[in-house]
Amino acid sequence: MFSFIQVLKNLGGGRGTFIRKAAPEKVGSILDIGCAYGWELNALSNKADRLVGIDIDEAALAQAREQYPHLTFLSCNATDLPFDDHEFDVVILSEVLEHVGEENKQLVIDEAYRVLASGGRLILTGPFDGATAWADPLDFKRRFPTLYQRYLQVSGYHPKTAIEVGHKHLSLPEIQQLFRGNFDPQETWFTGLFSPFLTWILTVGERTNLLPDGLVKRLNQLRAWEGGVSYPKALAYNIRLVARKRDCPPQVVQA
């Protein structure tokens, strides 16, 4: 029977839905870099015998350990992973690279490559440098630092990420450069045309307490769903990518 609701669900979906679909049905081990509270990692419990999440947010990790005691959570930096070479079948980098700073992006990708098994799968999501990247409220501080400093003085707000890091969107050439020929992209989706505008509403609403909780919940659900709707590359706000580790040593970039 035709279901319009089901059609809508199939058109879009949050990044958690994407990650679950992108992960193989059954593997030995999965590493989630930047796991936060462990929600996405727990959703993969039936897909691997060993699931490990890492983050530097101690409060998030404490909650993750309490809520999901069957999973392993470690506090460490993504630029220096405490794992052996070829240890994981899948590595997840979801909404991570935009937070680590320009000087650390290559280190994070190289570490993901190192710990992946031969032919292993990299699942990557992040903000994409499409037509609406300029409208990202989370990147306002990097694009307009002087104005943002004045906002901080008036509001008393303290950002979690440095102003110079911001929320810089990734371009395809940048991703290709970071991969250095060591990953073979299998599938790529460009999504989320209206995400920045929904994020603006939610961000302002959160900091002014003007939106009722019920509306915030609905808007978050809409943003998550729309964030999975595919658009032409030029119009996209997010990128979702699945790549396979190539069976070759990493290339060294000469200074």
Side-chain angles (χ1 to χ4, degrees), residues 57-226:
D57 187 331
E58 296 290 352
L61 288 173
Q63 181 175 321
R65 292 187 184 109
E66 180 178 356
Q67 193 164 1
Y68 308 116
H70 59 291
L71 305 179
T72 300
F73 296 100
L74 301 176
S75 175
C76 63
N77 200 301
T79 60
D80 186 20
L81 298 174
F83 307 114
D84 294 333
D85 296 355
H86 321 299
E87 190 167 335
F88 294 92
D89 299 297
V90 176
V91 170
I92 300 167
L93 275 171
S94 183
E95 313 303 309
V96 169
L97 286 180
E98 66 271 24
H99 298 294
V100 302
E102 292 299 307
E103 71 280 9
N104 292 318
K105 287 181 179 179
Q106 190 65 66
L107 295 172
V108 172
I109 291 293
D110 287 349
E111 277 292 270
Y113 175 88
R114 181 183 66 80
V115 301
L116 260 176
S118 178
R121 186 174 301 191
L122 174 69
I123 301 173
L124 183 147
T125 76
F128 181 70
D129 191 22
T132 56
W134 62 271
D136 184 352
L138 302 179
D139 200 30
F140 182 83
K141 56 189 173 186
R142 185 183 66 88
R143 291 177 178 268
F144 308 101
T146 302
L147 188 58
Y148 189 76
Q149 287 283 9
R150 292 178 181 174
Y151 159 73
L152 294 181
Q153 293 171 0
V154 172
S155 67
Y157 177 73
H158 299 287
K160 295 181 180 179
T161 307
I163 290 177
E164 60 271 16
V165 173
H167 201 247
K168 184 175 177 291
H169 287 229
L170 300 163
S171 67
L172 270 185
E174 181 182 8
I175 293 172
Q176 291 166 353
Q177 183 177 8
L178 290 170
F179 281 0
R180 300 206 285 195
N182 295 320
F183 290 97
D184 182 20
Q186 304 289 293
E187 296 181 275
T188 305
W189 294 264
F190 301 97
T191 66
L193 173 64
F194 298 102
S195 293
F197 309 110
L198 292 169
T199 303
W200 267 110
I201 294 171
L202 286 163
T203 300
V204 173
E206 177 187 354
R207 296 180 186 178
T208 59
N209 295 315
L210 293 177
L211 299 180
D213 292 343
L215 179 57
V216 170
K217 180 180 178 180
R218 293 295 184 185
L219 287 174
N220 270 312
Q221 290 174 337
L222 176 60
R223 180 175 60 170
W225 172 82
E226 197 274 335

